[in-house]
């Protein structure tokens, strides 16, 4: 594995990890923008814009875009989160140049009015679909409640109203200010010729105009408020619990991820044995989500209305015990192994490596090999977990529940 | 890459492809049984049995099974088709022995009555869910119509009635007769020690009792019947067209797969340009599905009721042209490249390799490297496609349509 980088004069970062044994190659455009960078007036624009990039350029229509990826045999997609919009593709090594060229085209989209108006309906359907998915909806609403007026609480999808009100002019302005080259990292992974690819990217993206781009990244400990939404058509209680955790820039993020796995991995965790194995809940998970400058532990639990109080009592007991007795060596080893296994399986192919490579650069301006990540996870000790528990004292939450009735028992 | 094999005295085949550069390893149990091996009385039993294997053994309960996989950091799953039931897992190399051991346990399941009765509801929910998914339902019903009384027309899921009527005794009998060692291939791929693994499998599976297992594999050209089901709640027409194609044992299967891609790949194919690009249909795909001793081309098309006649006319024109003028070199090259790309990306990790490895053994009793598959796809010529078209004369179909109205226009 060889790491390479080249920063263009306009600020665009090109980074690569070359693996001559790989049978494929992958490229990703990591744009450092998401719902946290939106004003209320343009809520949902990052995600909507991601859709619009696939509608093509002045030279390429929507079907031609699809056809161009297909001709290269590309596996490609994109996603938008609170703080990133990422476009990526994996291909056979011979086609990496062409697929990268295609993305550089798409990164300067036409944003045609007719496509914009048609796509509004697709976005509104997506909003409706997610609202009808309680496990998603409760986390989305919980996150808004937790982050309150902090920008990390902004909805990725936006609302029907914000999407209806959005104009293509607003989207163009957002695009110009956020898809600035100094706000984009182009990552390459797998079997490819670095010099050739770096030159190709420089040639095509070097002319993009640099804008002044900023992002506020204050830490935030969360509102710790409590809310309930009643939805009569539901059969189950959906519970979201959120408490503060470490940011992507915090070296304790490996320990926090291990702690999340010990408490709330979908199987074999404390939640699992106390809630799922005892049939109090059907699902109970917790994980640490580290972000730019802040972070949070998210729990999602689904249970019957009858069990709601017992579930809250059990969660309280789990965290009381955790704060008093910390964790033991056996569960630490098991959690580390599970994280390592998922990490290695994911990073075995260039497409998986690409995501780690890109995000390490976006958040840390740093190259990290899989080996370094493995070492850092293996180094997490009971003491590290202890000091994390001592610092965050987990067990006090922002709480959002979604369920069929009015029942509001004593919550943890 | 090194290929290894060992056939136990009871007939169980253990095969492996060792790749010392891989960072993971995978194991799969390929049981040569599926809905085509079922009588009407036990319709759906193969798929139901697949679910039941995860309910554990006399020593392991359902949650413990889940927890055991999880502790090993395994990515694992199973699937059932018309002719195979496959169980597989990918892990870090250190855990391959343990995860293989776990599967050997699960292959001798407890099939507890209480689990059996509980799981009936899960199966019936799955049946209901698929019936509500018209794109699935139309293919399922089309397949039954095409294969008529040939066993390949048997439904994988079964019906509510067949599942309700099924007894755990019937399932046990089916299990004993079909999960016989001489009907199972254990495949291993990735970074592992062949001698150690072959010994482990032999030690644990060598005691399984061999039964006499058979399967009828007549070829079948299809009923070429036509049926329509009206479902008022639908907004769209769903069309399934089926015509005969080559079996898994037929050397023309690579040419058939290329032909399927030329005519009906989701993007860039003849269907795409004539139906989707022209906005006559939202989706239009065709692919060759090769099976044990027989095979078929399946087309699935979705369109509005108004466009139904135009779609049929266009499909007719596509096949008239194909039978008259065959294919051209440009589309042949594009199709080969797409197939190669998907093949290489899939086979880059041990988990992907495992599936090719296992099925080549099950169908052909043969080891084929990725390189051989690449060579055979690259070797497909316009002449090969010509002779395939000359032999099958595609364009006469078994037709099943699912739509909101009575409209039955002239069909192709």
């Amino acid at each position: 594995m060889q790491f390479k980088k080249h920063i263009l004069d306009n600020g665009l970062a090109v980074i690569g990890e070359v693996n001559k044994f790989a049978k494929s190659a992958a490229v990703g455009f990591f744009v450092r923008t998401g719902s946290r960078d939106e004003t209320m007036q343009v809520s949902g624009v990052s995600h909507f814009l991601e859709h619009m990039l696939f509608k093509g350029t002045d030279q390429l229509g929507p079907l031609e875009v699809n056809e161009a990826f297909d001709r290269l045999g590309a596996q490609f997609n994109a996603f938008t989160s609170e703080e990133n919009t990422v476009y990526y593709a994996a291909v056979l090594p011979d086609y990496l140049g062409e697929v990268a060229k295609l993305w550089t085209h798409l990164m300067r989209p036409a944003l045609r009015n007719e496509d914009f108006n048609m796509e509004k309906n697709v976005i509104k359907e997506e909003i409706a679909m997610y609202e009808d998915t309680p496990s998603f909806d409760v986390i989305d609403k919980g996150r808004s409640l937790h982050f309150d007026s902090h920008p990390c609480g902004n909805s990725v999808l936006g609302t029907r109203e914000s999407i209806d009100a959005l104009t293509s002019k607003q989207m163009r302005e957002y695009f110009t200010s956020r898809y600035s080259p100094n706000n984009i990292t182009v990552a390459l992974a797998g079997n490819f010729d670095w010099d050739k690819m770096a030159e190709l990217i420089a040639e095509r993206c070097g002319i993009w105009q640099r804008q002044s781009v900023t992002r506020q990244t204050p830490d935030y400990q969360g509102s710790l408020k409590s809310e309930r939404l009643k939805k009569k058509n539901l059969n189950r209680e959906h519970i979201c619990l959120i408490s503060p955790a470490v940011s992507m820039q915090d070296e304790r993020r490996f320990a926090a991820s291990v702690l999340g796995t010990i408490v709330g991995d979908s199987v074999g965790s404390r939640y699992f044995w106390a809630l799922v194995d005892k049939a109090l809940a059907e699902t109970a998970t917790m994980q640490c989500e580290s972000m730019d400058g802040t972070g949070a532990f998210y729990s999602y639990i689904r249970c019957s209305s009858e069990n709601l109080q017992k579930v809250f009592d059990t969660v309280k007991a789990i965290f009381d015990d955790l704060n008093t007795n910390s964790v033991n060596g056996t569960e630490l080893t098991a959690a580390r192994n599970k994280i390592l296994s998922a990490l290695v399986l994911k990073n075995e192919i260039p497409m998986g490596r690409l995501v780690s490579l890109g995000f390490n650069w976006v958040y840390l301006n740093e190259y990290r090999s899989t080996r370094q990540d493995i070492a850092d996870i293996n180094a997490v000790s009971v003491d590290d977990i202890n000091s994390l528990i001592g610092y965050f004292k987990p067990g006090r939450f922002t709480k959002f529940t979604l369920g069929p009735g009015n029942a509001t028992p004593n919550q943890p």
Side-chain angles (χ1 to χ4, degrees), chain A residues 299-336:
Chain A
S299 293
Y300 168 69
I301 304 173
R302 191 176 73 233
C303 66
S304 68
S305 298
E306 302 84 70
N307 283 338
L308 191 59
Q309 183 59 52
K310 270 193 203 157
V311 164
F312 282 133
D313 293 346
T314 306
V315 170
K316 185 176 183 315
I318 289 171
F319 282 95
D320 283 350
D321 178 66
L322 192 71
N323 280 290
T324 313
N325 302 316
S326 184
V327 301
N328 64 56
T330 313
E331 56 188 352
L332 174 64
T333 307
R336 281 194 315 224

mmCIF file of all heavy atoms in Angstrom, chain A residues 299-336:
data_model
loop_
_atom_site.group_PDB
_atom_site.id
_atom_site.type_symbol
_atom_site.label_atom_id
_atom_site.label_comp_id
_atom_site.label_asym_id
_atom_site.label_seq_id
_atom_site.Cartn_x
_atom_site.Cartn_y
_atom_site.Cartn_z
ATOM 1 N N SER A 299 -29.241 5.437 20.957
ATOM 2 C CA SER A 299 -29.872 4.147 21.214
ATOM 3 C C SER A 299 -31.204 4.101 20.494
ATOM 4 O O SER A 299 -31.940 5.094 20.465
ATOM 5 C CB SER A 299 -30.158 3.956 22.712
ATOM 6 O OG SER A 299 -28.969 3.850 23.438
ATOM 7 N N TYR A 300 -31.503 2.943 19.923
ATOM 8 C CA TYR A 300 -32.830 2.715 19.346
ATOM 9 C C TYR A 300 -33.384 1.422 19.932
ATOM 10 O O TYR A 300 -32.733 0.374 19.898
ATOM 11 C CB TYR A 300 -32.779 2.614 17.824
ATOM 12 C CG TYR A 300 -34.066 2.092 17.230
ATOM 13 C CD1 TYR A 300 -35.221 2.877 17.279
ATOM 14 C CD2 TYR A 300 -34.161 0.827 16.675
ATOM 15 C CE1 TYR A 300 -36.421 2.412 16.776
ATOM 16 C CE2 TYR A 300 -35.356 0.344 16.164
ATOM 17 C CZ TYR A 300 -36.480 1.142 16.215
ATOM 18 O OH TYR A 300 -37.676 0.674 15.727
ATOM 19 N N ILE A 301 -34.584 1.505 20.501
ATOM 20 C CA ILE A 301 -35.207 0.332 21.117
ATOM 21 C C ILE A 301 -36.655 0.232 20.638
ATOM 22 O O ILE A 301 -37.356 1.241 20.575
ATOM 23 C CB ILE A 301 -35.181 0.431 22.670
ATOM 24 C CG1 ILE A 301 -33.731 0.632 23.150
ATOM 25 C CG2 ILE A 301 -35.794 -0.815 23.311
ATOM 26 C CD1 ILE A 301 -33.603 0.919 24.632
ATOM 27 N N ARG A 302 -37.085 -0.971 20.291
ATOM 28 C CA ARG A 302 -38.483 -1.186 19.888
ATOM 29 C C ARG A 302 -39.094 -2.237 20.808
ATOM 30 O O ARG A 302 -38.487 -3.281 21.056
ATOM 31 C CB ARG A 302 -38.546 -1.675 18.446
ATOM 32 C CG ARG A 302 -39.963 -1.664 17.886
ATOM 33 C CD ARG A 302 -40.016 -2.059 16.427
ATOM 34 N NE ARG A 302 -39.780 -3.480 16.272
ATOM 35 C CZ ARG A 302 -38.864 -4.019 15.478
ATOM 36 N NH1 ARG A 302 -38.057 -3.241 14.762
ATOM 37 N NH2 ARG A 302 -38.722 -5.325 15.392
ATOM 38 N N CYS A 303 -40.278 -1.941 21.363
ATOM 39 C CA CYS A 303 -40.913 -2.882 22.289
ATOM 40 C C CYS A 303 -42.429 -2.690 22.272
ATOM 41 O O CYS A 303 -42.947 -1.782 21.622
ATOM 42 C CB CYS A 303 -40.366 -2.690 23.701
ATOM 43 S SG CYS A 303 -40.790 -1.097 24.434
ATOM 44 N N SER A 304 -43.136 -3.536 22.987
ATOM 45 C CA SER A 304 -44.584 -3.374 23.118
ATOM 46 C C SER A 304 -44.875 -2.274 24.132
ATOM 47 O O SER A 304 -44.039 -1.947 24.974
ATOM 48 C CB SER A 304 -45.218 -4.684 23.592
ATOM 49 O OG SER A 304 -44.807 -4.943 24.922
ATOM 50 N N SER A 305 -46.064 -1.703 24.066
ATOM 51 C CA SER A 305 -46.437 -0.647 25.006
ATOM 52 C C SER A 305 -46.428 -1.162 26.451
ATOM 53 O O SER A 305 -46.044 -0.445 27.371
ATOM 54 C CB SER A 305 -47.824 -0.092 24.660
ATOM 55 O OG SER A 305 -47.798 0.492 23.380
ATOM 56 N N GLU A 306 -46.833 -2.421 26.629
ATOM 57 C CA GLU A 306 -46.862 -3.001 27.990
ATOM 58 C C GLU A 306 -45.460 -3.044 28.610
ATOM 59 O O GLU A 306 -45.307 -2.916 29.814
ATOM 60 C CB GLU A 306 -47.406 -4.434 27.981
ATOM 61 C CG GLU A 306 -48.784 -4.622 27.409
ATOM 62 C CD GLU A 306 -48.750 -4.756 25.892
ATOM 63 O OE1 GLU A 306 -48.265 -5.784 25.404
ATOM 64 O OE2 GLU A 306 -49.184 -3.809 25.179
ATOM 65 N N ASN A 307 -44.467 -3.245 27.769
ATOM 66 C CA ASN A 307 -43.101 -3.394 28.298
ATOM 67 C C ASN A 307 -42.346 -2.080 28.440
ATOM 68 O O ASN A 307 -41.201 -2.078 28.904
ATOM 69 C CB ASN A 307 -42.295 -4.339 27.395
ATOM 70 C CG ASN A 307 -42.651 -5.786 27.637
ATOM 71 O OD1 ASN A 307 -43.158 -6.135 28.703
ATOM 72 N ND2 ASN A 307 -42.395 -6.633 26.657
ATOM 73 N N LEU A 308 -42.972 -0.977 28.041
ATOM 74 C CA LEU A 308 -42.238 0.291 27.971
ATOM 75 C C LEU A 308 -41.572 0.652 29.304
ATOM 76 O O LEU A 308 -40.373 0.984 29.348
ATOM 77 C CB LEU A 308 -43.192 1.412 27.517
ATOM 78 C CG LEU A 308 -42.553 2.736 27.140
ATOM 79 C CD1 LEU A 308 -41.553 2.564 26.009
ATOM 80 C CD2 LEU A 308 -43.630 3.747 26.711
ATOM 81 N N GLN A 309 -42.340 0.567 30.402
ATOM 82 C CA GLN A 309 -41.774 0.951 31.702
ATOM 83 C C GLN A 309 -40.625 0.021 32.091
ATOM 84 O O GLN A 309 -39.577 0.470 32.561
ATOM 85 C CB GLN A 309 -42.868 0.941 32.774
ATOM 86 C CG GLN A 309 -42.388 1.388 34.143
ATOM 87 C CD GLN A 309 -41.821 2.810 34.109
ATOM 88 O OE1 GLN A 309 -42.467 3.744 33.629
ATOM 89 N NE2 GLN A 309 -40.585 2.997 34.562
ATOM 90 N N LYS A 310 -40.817 -1.287 31.870
ATOM 91 C CA LYS A 310 -39.765 -2.253 32.201
ATOM 92 C C LYS A 310 -38.502 -1.991 31.394
ATOM 93 O O LYS A 310 -37.389 -2.155 31.882
ATOM 94 C CB LYS A 310 -40.252 -3.684 31.907
ATOM 95 C CG LYS A 310 -40.945 -4.338 33.076
ATOM 96 C CD LYS A 310 -41.096 -5.849 32.804
ATOM 97 C CE LYS A 310 -42.239 -6.396 33.633
ATOM 98 N NZ LYS A 310 -42.803 -7.629 33.066
ATOM 99 N N VAL A 311 -38.692 -1.609 30.132
ATOM 100 C CA VAL A 311 -37.537 -1.306 29.283
ATOM 101 C C VAL A 311 -36.769 -0.117 29.859
ATOM 102 O O VAL A 311 -35.543 -0.158 29.996
ATOM 103 C CB VAL A 311 -37.973 -1.037 27.821
ATOM 104 C CG1 VAL A 311 -36.864 -0.344 27.029
ATOM 105 C CG2 VAL A 311 -38.366 -2.349 27.137
ATOM 106 N N PHE A 312 -37.489 0.929 30.238
ATOM 107 C CA PHE A 312 -36.818 2.111 30.799
ATOM 108 C C PHE A 312 -36.096 1.759 32.103
ATOM 109 O O PHE A 312 -34.971 2.194 32.343
ATOM 110 C CB PHE A 312 -37.822 3.249 31.040
ATOM 111 C CG PHE A 312 -38.180 3.984 29.768
ATOM 112 C CD1 PHE A 312 -39.504 4.269 29.460
ATOM 113 C CD2 PHE A 312 -37.191 4.409 28.879
ATOM 114 C CE1 PHE A 312 -39.830 4.948 28.294
ATOM 115 C CE2 PHE A 312 -37.517 5.084 27.708
ATOM 116 C CZ PHE A 312 -38.844 5.364 27.415
ATOM 117 N N ASP A 313 -36.746 0.957 32.943
ATOM 118 C CA ASP A 313 -36.116 0.543 34.203
ATOM 119 C C ASP A 313 -34.836 -0.257 33.929
ATOM 120 O O ASP A 313 -33.814 -0.075 34.606
ATOM 121 C CB ASP A 313 -37.081 -0.331 35.025
ATOM 122 C CG ASP A 313 -38.286 0.463 35.522
ATOM 123 O OD1 ASP A 313 -38.236 1.718 35.459
ATOM 124 O OD2 ASP A 313 -39.283 -0.162 35.930
ATOM 125 N N THR A 314 -34.900 -1.134 32.925
ATOM 126 C CA THR A 314 -33.736 -1.966 32.601
ATOM 127 C C THR A 314 -32.591 -1.123 32.047
ATOM 128 O O THR A 314 -31.427 -1.325 32.396
ATOM 129 C CB THR A 314 -34.149 -3.065 31.588
ATOM 130 O OG1 THR A 314 -35.266 -3.771 32.117
ATOM 131 C CG2 THR A 314 -33.010 -4.034 31.341
ATOM 132 N N VAL A 315 -32.927 -0.164 31.173
ATOM 133 C CA VAL A 315 -31.888 0.718 30.637
ATOM 134 C C VAL A 315 -31.231 1.490 31.776
ATOM 135 O O VAL A 315 -29.999 1.610 31.839
ATOM 136 C CB VAL A 315 -32.485 1.698 29.584
ATOM 137 C CG1 VAL A 315 -31.480 2.776 29.216
ATOM 138 C CG2 VAL A 315 -32.912 0.931 28.338
ATOM 139 N N LYS A 316 -32.041 1.972 32.702
ATOM 140 C CA LYS A 316 -31.472 2.701 33.853
ATOM 141 C C LYS A 316 -30.517 1.799 34.632
ATOM 142 O O LYS A 316 -29.396 2.212 34.976
ATOM 143 C CB LYS A 316 -32.608 3.195 34.771
ATOM 144 C CG LYS A 316 -32.097 4.069 35.916
ATOM 145 C CD LYS A 316 -33.215 4.631 36.758
ATOM 146 C CE LYS A 316 -32.655 5.560 37.848
ATOM 147 N NZ LYS A 316 -31.487 5.052 38.575
ATOM 148 N N ALA A 317 -30.922 0.555 34.887
ATOM 149 C CA ALA A 317 -30.072 -0.383 35.630
ATOM 150 C C ALA A 317 -28.766 -0.653 34.880
ATOM 151 O O ALA A 317 -27.691 -0.725 35.495
ATOM 152 C CB ALA A 317 -30.831 -1.693 35.880
ATOM 153 N N ILE A 318 -28.856 -0.786 33.543
ATOM 154 C CA ILE A 318 -27.649 -1.036 32.743
ATOM 155 C C ILE A 318 -26.650 0.111 32.916
ATOM 156 O O ILE A 318 -25.455 -0.106 33.125
ATOM 157 C CB ILE A 318 -28.016 -1.218 31.242
ATOM 158 C CG1 ILE A 318 -28.728 -2.552 31.032
ATOM 159 C CG2 ILE A 318 -26.773 -1.120 30.355
ATOM 160 C CD1 ILE A 318 -29.332 -2.733 29.635
ATOM 161 N N PHE A 319 -27.136 1.343 32.845
ATOM 162 C CA PHE A 319 -26.214 2.477 32.929
ATOM 163 C C PHE A 319 -25.759 2.746 34.363
ATOM 164 O O PHE A 319 -24.630 3.178 34.581
ATOM 165 C CB PHE A 319 -26.813 3.718 32.262
ATOM 166 C CG PHE A 319 -26.721 3.652 30.758
ATOM 167 C CD1 PHE A 319 -27.778 3.181 29.996
ATOM 168 C CD2 PHE A 319 -25.533 3.979 30.112
ATOM 169 C CE1 PHE A 319 -27.669 3.077 28.615
ATOM 170 C CE2 PHE A 319 -25.412 3.882 28.734
ATOM 171 C CZ PHE A 319 -26.488 3.424 27.988
ATOM 172 N N ASP A 320 -26.615 2.474 35.342
ATOM 173 C CA ASP A 320 -26.179 2.584 36.746
ATOM 174 C C ASP A 320 -25.002 1.640 36.986
ATOM 175 O O ASP A 320 -23.973 2.011 37.549
ATOM 176 C CB ASP A 320 -27.332 2.227 37.708
ATOM 177 C CG ASP A 320 -28.340 3.368 37.819
ATOM 178 O OD1 ASP A 320 -28.036 4.476 37.297
ATOM 179 O OD2 ASP A 320 -29.424 3.149 38.396
ATOM 180 N N ASP A 321 -25.160 0.422 36.514
ATOM 181 C CA ASP A 321 -24.105 -0.569 36.679
ATOM 182 C C ASP A 321 -22.833 -0.151 35.937
ATOM 183 O O ASP A 321 -21.727 -0.285 36.464
ATOM 184 C CB ASP A 321 -24.601 -1.931 36.150
ATOM 185 C CG ASP A 321 -23.528 -3.010 36.254
ATOM 186 O OD1 ASP A 321 -23.160 -3.353 37.393
ATOM 187 O OD2 ASP A 321 -23.044 -3.467 35.206
ATOM 188 N N LEU A 322 -23.016 0.371 34.729
ATOM 189 C CA LEU A 322 -21.866 0.786 33.919
ATOM 190 C C LEU A 322 -21.094 1.897 34.618
ATOM 191 O O LEU A 322 -19.854 1.900 34.671
ATOM 192 C CB LEU A 322 -22.353 1.266 32.548
ATOM 193 C CG LEU A 322 -21.289 1.475 31.483
ATOM 194 C CD1 LEU A 322 -20.744 0.135 31.013
ATOM 195 C CD2 LEU A 322 -21.876 2.243 30.292
ATOM 196 N N ASN A 323 -21.812 2.867 35.189
ATOM 197 C CA ASN A 323 -21.150 3.980 35.868
ATOM 198 C C ASN A 323 -20.474 3.529 37.168
ATOM 199 O O ASN A 323 -19.469 4.100 37.577
ATOM 200 C CB ASN A 323 -22.164 5.106 36.143
ATOM 201 C CG ASN A 323 -22.415 5.955 34.892
ATOM 202 O OD1 ASN A 323 -21.546 6.704 34.460
ATOM 203 N ND2 ASN A 323 -23.595 5.811 34.297
ATOM 204 N N THR A 324 -21.017 2.507 37.786
ATOM 205 C CA THR A 324 -20.444 2.024 39.040
ATOM 206 C C THR A 324 -19.296 1.037 38.799
ATOM 207 O O THR A 324 -18.217 1.162 39.374
ATOM 208 C CB THR A 324 -21.530 1.283 39.880
ATOM 209 O OG1 THR A 324 -22.696 2.103 39.895
ATOM 210 C CG2 THR A 324 -21.048 1.046 41.303
ATOM 211 N N ASN A 325 -19.540 0.056 37.889
ATOM 212 C CA ASN A 325 -18.593 -1.063 37.768
ATOM 213 C C ASN A 325 -17.790 -1.094 36.474
ATOM 214 O O ASN A 325 -17.021 -2.017 36.250
ATOM 215 C CB ASN A 325 -19.351 -2.386 37.898
ATOM 216 C CG ASN A 325 -20.104 -2.473 39.214
ATOM 217 O OD1 ASN A 325 -19.565 -2.117 40.271
ATOM 218 N ND2 ASN A 325 -21.356 -2.880 39.159
ATOM 219 N N SER A 326 -18.026 -0.144 35.587
ATOM 220 C CA SER A 326 -17.355 -0.113 34.271
ATOM 221 C C SER A 326 -17.581 -1.418 33.512
ATOM 222 O O SER A 326 -18.615 -2.076 33.684
ATOM 223 C CB SER A 326 -15.872 0.181 34.420
ATOM 224 O OG SER A 326 -15.270 0.308 33.143
ATOM 225 N N VAL A 327 -16.637 -1.796 32.654
ATOM 226 C CA VAL A 327 -16.796 -3.000 31.827
ATOM 227 C C VAL A 327 -15.736 -4.023 32.236
ATOM 228 O O VAL A 327 -14.773 -3.681 32.916
ATOM 229 C CB VAL A 327 -16.629 -2.665 30.324
ATOM 230 C CG1 VAL A 327 -17.648 -1.626 29.901
ATOM 231 C CG2 VAL A 327 -15.214 -2.172 30.027
ATOM 232 N N ASN A 328 -15.926 -5.285 31.814
ATOM 233 C CA ASN A 328 -14.907 -6.282 32.144
ATOM 234 C C ASN A 328 -14.095 -6.684 30.908
ATOM 235 O O ASN A 328 -14.481 -6.399 29.769
ATOM 236 C CB ASN A 328 -15.544 -7.505 32.817
ATOM 237 C CG ASN A 328 -16.492 -8.240 31.890
ATOM 238 O OD1 ASN A 328 -16.095 -8.643 30.802
ATOM 239 N ND2 ASN A 328 -17.739 -8.401 32.313
ATOM 240 N N GLY A 329 -12.975 -7.338 31.150
ATOM 241 C CA GLY A 329 -12.037 -7.678 30.082
ATOM 242 C C GLY A 329 -12.628 -8.575 29.010
ATOM 243 O O GLY A 329 -12.314 -8.436 27.822
ATOM 244 N N THR A 330 -13.509 -9.494 29.416
ATOM 245 C CA THR A 330 -14.091 -10.428 28.444
ATOM 246 C C THR A 330 -14.945 -9.698 27.417
ATOM 247 O O THR A 330 -14.833 -9.912 26.214
ATOM 248 C CB THR A 330 -14.977 -11.474 29.172
ATOM 249 O OG1 THR A 330 -14.246 -11.969 30.291
ATOM 250 C CG2 THR A 330 -15.348 -12.607 28.253
ATOM 251 N N GLU A 331 -15.807 -8.809 27.908
ATOM 252 C CA GLU A 331 -16.679 -8.123 26.946
ATOM 253 C C GLU A 331 -15.885 -7.113 26.122
ATOM 254 O O GLU A 331 -16.205 -6.870 24.960
ATOM 255 C CB GLU A 331 -17.904 -7.484 27.624
ATOM 256 C CG GLU A 331 -17.602 -6.507 28.733
ATOM 257 C CD GLU A 331 -18.871 -6.047 29.497
ATOM 258 O OE1 GLU A 331 -20.006 -6.367 29.076
ATOM 259 O OE2 GLU A 331 -18.712 -5.358 30.515
ATOM 260 N N LEU A 332 -14.809 -6.587 26.705
ATOM 261 C CA LEU A 332 -13.943 -5.691 25.937
ATOM 262 C C LEU A 332 -13.315 -6.438 24.754
ATOM 263 O O LEU A 332 -13.349 -5.959 23.611
ATOM 264 C CB LEU A 332 -12.846 -5.113 26.845
ATOM 265 C CG LEU A 332 -11.780 -4.267 26.146
ATOM 266 C CD1 LEU A 332 -12.374 -3.013 25.543
ATOM 267 C CD2 LEU A 332 -10.660 -3.900 27.123
ATOM 268 N N THR A 333 -12.762 -7.609 25.027
ATOM 269 C CA THR A 333 -12.129 -8.413 23.962
ATOM 270 C C THR A 333 -13.139 -8.778 22.878
ATOM 271 O O THR A 333 -12.862 -8.644 21.675
ATOM 272 C CB THR A 333 -11.541 -9.709 24.549
ATOM 273 O OG1 THR A 333 -10.688 -9.342 25.639
ATOM 274 C CG2 THR A 333 -10.730 -10.468 23.518
ATOM 275 N N ALA A 334 -14.325 -9.222 23.296
ATOM 276 C CA ALA A 334 -15.356 -9.604 22.320
ATOM 277 C C ALA A 334 -15.721 -8.408 21.439
ATOM 278 O O ALA A 334 -15.827 -8.528 20.216
ATOM 279 C CB ALA A 334 -16.589 -10.148 23.031
ATOM 280 N N ALA A 335 -15.908 -7.241 22.048
ATOM 281 C CA ALA A 335 -16.306 -6.050 21.280
ATOM 282 C C ALA A 335 -15.202 -5.637 20.311
ATOM 283 O O ALA A 335 -15.468 -5.320 19.150
ATOM 284 C CB ALA A 335 -16.646 -4.907 22.235
ATOM 285 N N ARG A 336 -13.954 -5.642 20.779
ATOM 286 C CA ARG A 336 -12.840 -5.291 19.892
ATOM 287 C C ARG A 336 -12.784 -6.222 18.690
ATOM 288 O O ARG A 336 -12.605 -5.792 17.553
ATOM 289 C CB ARG A 336 -11.508 -5.367 20.666
ATOM 290 C CG ARG A 336 -11.235 -4.155 21.539
ATOM 291 C CD ARG A 336 -9.782 -4.109 21.998
ATOM 292 N NE ARG A 336 -9.298 -5.398 22.462
ATOM 293 C CZ ARG A 336 -8.579 -5.604 23.560
ATOM 294 N NH1 ARG A 336 -8.258 -4.564 24.332
ATOM 295 N NH2 ARG A 336 -8.174 -6.796 23.887
#
